[in-house]
Amino acid sequence: MLITHDTRCALDTVVDLVNTVPEDESAPDGLPDVAALQEFVGTHEISDVGLLTDLDLSAVRGIRGRFAAVFAAPDARTAAGLINDLVAAAGTTPRLTDHDGYDWHIHYFAPGASVADHLTADCGMALAFFVVAGEQERLRRCEAPDCRRAFVDLSRNRSRRYCDSRTCGNRLHVAAYRARRKEAAG
């Protein structure tokens, strides 16, 4: 599957956005305030964003839960419906642009759009490409029992199971090894 630079950036952004949702009521919010949203925007080099406010923070928090539902969708039809609703609400306006030293690429948000509409349009279209390509199952949640972080499985054989093989994957492999050793000794 060919993934353009912009699509990859949008995928990284939507994964990081979904992963700011608190896992439960005791967990901290990954976007606690406008300053955190501004940092998120800067880290992901989201262009054409003006001064952010509490209204922007509220709107972005609203869409991240809707994006999380796409990663939890049981099939492509459900994912497509969720993505269609998101993209339609953002007022998608595809246009070619070549800003900030990047070659020609497509922006899906309207000029002057809010940061929430910007994220919804670009990230929604990136996810839509996966559904169109028949690759919706690559939009996953970590299989570690104590982790439900979102990730996009870009492995060649669609075999990735954990958000990070060095943390969640390694921890589970070590636990399984210790359990086998204990059983063999026991």
Side-chain angles (χ1 to χ4, degrees):
M1 176 176 188
L2 176 66
I3 301 173
T4 65
H5 170 75
D6 286 346
T7 299
R8 180 60 194 255
C9 289
L11 289 171
D12 291 343
T13 300
V14 74
V15 164
D16 288 348
L17 180 63
V18 167
N19 289 333
T20 66
V21 176
E23 289 294 318
D24 56 44
E25 283 112 34
S26 66
D29 192 306
L31 288 176
D33 52 31
V34 175
L37 178 59
Q38 185 66 52
E39 183 179 334
F40 182 89
V41 165
T43 298
H44 292 281
E45 299 178 355
I46 300 169
S47 62
D48 202 20
V49 174
L51 181 66
L52 297 172
T53 67
D54 286 328
L55 189 60
D56 292 310
L57 178 62
S58 178
V60 170
R61 283 178 173 169
I63 62 165
R64 69 185 179 173
R66 295 177 70 192
F67 277 124
V70 174
F71 282 84
D75 54 52
R77 183 165 305 283
T78 304
L82 294 167
I83 294 167
N84 283 340
D85 290 345
L86 276 160
V87 171
T92 308
T93 308
R95 63 189 167 93
L96 289 167
T97 184
D98 67 340
H99 63 87
D100 297 331
Y102 293 105
D103 212 356
W104 289 105
H105 59 282
I106 301 172
H107 280 186
Y108 295 97
F109 60 94
S114 70
V115 68
D117 284 346
H118 180 141
L119 290 168
T120 301
D122 278 354
C123 295
M125 291 305 299
L127 295 174
F129 293 139
F130 274 76
V131 174
V132 168
E135 300 285 354
Q136 179 262 335
E137 74 275 1
R138 289 182 182 270
L139 308 176
R140 298 191 175 161
R141 290 292 192 155
C142 184
E143 290 183 19
D146 59 341
C147 180
R148 295 300 299 151
R149 292 179 58 86
F151 68 94
V152 178
D153 178 4
L154 297 177
S155 67
R156 186 172 289 199
N157 62 357
R158 298 175 189 89
S159 62
R160 188 169 159 200
R161 297 174 49 207
Y162 307 108
C163 63
D164 186 345
S165 61
R166 290 181 307 245
T167 55
C168 290
N170 193 42
R171 187 176 64 246
L172 288 175
H173 289 115
V174 168
Y177 171 78
R178 287 180 180 159
R180 286 191 306 271
R181 297 269 306 197
K182 184 176 180 180
E183 187 177 308

